[in-house]
Amino acid sequence: MDVPLWFALLCVGVFGVKLIRPPLWLVLVLLLGGYLIADSLLAPVVDPFVK
């Protein structure tokens, strides 16, 4: 069974938010921070840790 990566991440994210119940601002900060770091000068620094 082949599941697209975006769908698997979406399912994990939805279940994580429903089970753990983090504050909405924390979820938004993590999403926005990850987006900004991925498109910044820090991307080459973070890349080896993510792989």
Side-chain angles (χ1 to χ4, degrees):
M1 181 167 98
D2 294 327
V3 177
L5 179 61
W6 64 268
F7 185 71
L9 290 175
L10 180 71
C11 289
V12 168
V14 167
F15 286 127
V17 168
K18 284 190 175 196
L19 292 175
I20 299 174
R21 290 276 192 202
L24 182 60
W25 64 266
L26 180 61
V27 174
L28 294 176
V29 165
L30 289 174
L31 288 173
L32 184 62
Y35 176 76
L36 292 175
I37 287 176
D39 199 31
S40 72
L41 295 174
L42 293 175
V45 175
V46 176
D47 192 41
F49 295 109
V50 185
K51 288 185 178 180

